[in-house]
Amino acid sequence: MDKIAIKPNLHAITLPAIDRITDYTRPMLWLRQGWRDMQRTPLLSLGFGALFAVLGYALVHFGWGGVQTGMTLTSGFLLVAPFLAVVFYDLSRQAEHHHAPRLAHILKPLRANGASIGFYALLLAFIFSVWERLSAIVVGLSVSGDPVNFAGFRALLAGSGQLGILLPYAAVGVLLAVLVFALSVVSLPMMLHRKADLATALMTSLWVVRTNPLLMLEWALIIVALSVLGYATLFVAMVVVFPLIGHATWHAYRDLVER
């Protein structure tokens, strides 16, 4: 038996039962299911994947005109990616109910639970703004005068012994990424599916991570590896990677939260 249902004991919020999964090959199953959904909706999935890849490339490419903007957008794109992937969650939801995939259907759950989803977007925007300010502080401590490009910034830090500035910066970035991941594992799919309020969805997502720490670490590393592949190919691979992760996240939610 690789699943054990755990009922969270919270007095203030009623959460659904969470499955504790001991089969650590399950993320591969989520990816296979996500790939199957992509094959069912190739035009919409790859079309939105291409749209977001172009958006990501444009933000990162043009952002590197200034070091601080480039650092923020390159890493911050992944912080807001869970919200952008909402289209893939809903395409998988439609496929699960054997509905013909239609773009108009995606707007229905957004309208039905628009307030909670909107507050979720504001939460991600707040975290992104914190990251932007931290980036500005690091660059402000490291350079003076006119903005420099990435190569010059890297050489400046290496030459002046200021790499120590980047270590706490990177540590805070990792902490923010972990926070966003923990808050986003199942929260947005849950708000689409059950019309749950924001607090319930966020607490459920945190409880999923608490109940399955090693499994969620594995899933996070897979997402990071696929995202690095997308960056390394100048966002070309992101055309497939982004929808694949989005579809797979829906199946992770369906597997981890009791129906």
Side-chain angles (χ1 to χ4, degrees), residues 78 174 177-178 181 216-232 238 241 245:
L78 297 179
V174 170
V178 169
F181 174 79
M216 291 297 95
L217 176 60
E218 179 188 356
W219 181 228
L221 292 176
I222 289 173
I223 292 175
V224 169
L226 290 174
S227 300
V228 169
L229 174 63
Y231 277 121
M238 201 69 81
V241 166
I245 294 174

Side-chain angles (χ1 to χ4, degrees), residues 65-192:
V67 172
Q68 186 264 325
T69 305
M71 292 173 66
T72 301
L73 293 178
T74 300
S75 51
F77 179 75
L78 297 179
L79 296 180
V80 299
F83 180 77
L84 297 178
V86 63
V87 60
F88 307 116
Y89 309 152
D90 198 63
L91 286 174
S92 288
R93 183 188 65 85
Q94 293 181 46
E96 183 178 296
H97 291 87
H98 305 289
H99 294 158
R102 295 180 182 177
L103 187 60
H105 285 173
I106 298 173
L107 300 177
K108 291 183 178 180
L110 293 177
R111 289 196 300 264
N113 200 17
S116 295
I117 294 173
F119 282 126
Y120 175 87
L122 289 176
L123 175 62
L124 289 185
F126 172 75
I127 295 174
F128 181 82
S129 67
V130 171
W131 182 238
E132 188 276 333
R133 285 295 85 198
L134 288 173
S135 298
I137 292 172
V138 169
V139 174
L141 291 174
S142 305
V143 300
S144 59
D146 296 332
V148 296
N149 59 25
F150 177 65
F153 178 65
R154 183 175 56 185
L156 176 66
L157 289 177
S160 59
Q162 293 181 351
L163 284 176
I165 296 176
L166 288 184
L167 294 179
Y169 172 80
V172 173
V174 170
L175 288 176
L176 286 177
V178 169
L179 174 62
V180 170
F181 174 79
L183 293 174
S184 305
V185 171
V186 299
S187 55
L188 193 51
M190 183 176 175
M191 285 187 282
L192 284 174

Side-chain angles (χ1 to χ4, degrees), residues 10-83:
L10 297 177
H11 298 292
I13 302 175
T14 302
L15 302 183
I18 305 299
D19 283 331
R20 176 180 293 159
I21 298 176
T22 56
D23 177 11
Y24 294 105
T25 64
R26 195 61 63 92
M28 295 297 104
L29 174 61
W30 301 337
L31 289 173
R32 288 196 299 270
Q33 291 171 326
W35 182 257
R36 181 193 62 200
D37 288 349
M38 287 180 61
Q39 291 177 315
R40 289 176 175 174
T41 60
L43 292 180
L44 287 175
S45 293
L46 294 178
F48 277 106
L51 175 64
F52 294 137
V54 170
L55 173 63
Y57 176 81
L59 289 174
V60 171
H61 178 73
F62 293 110
W64 275 111
V67 172
Q68 186 264 325
T69 305
M71 292 173 66
T72 301
L73 293 178
T74 300
S75 51
F77 179 75
L78 297 179
L79 296 180
V80 299
F83 180 77

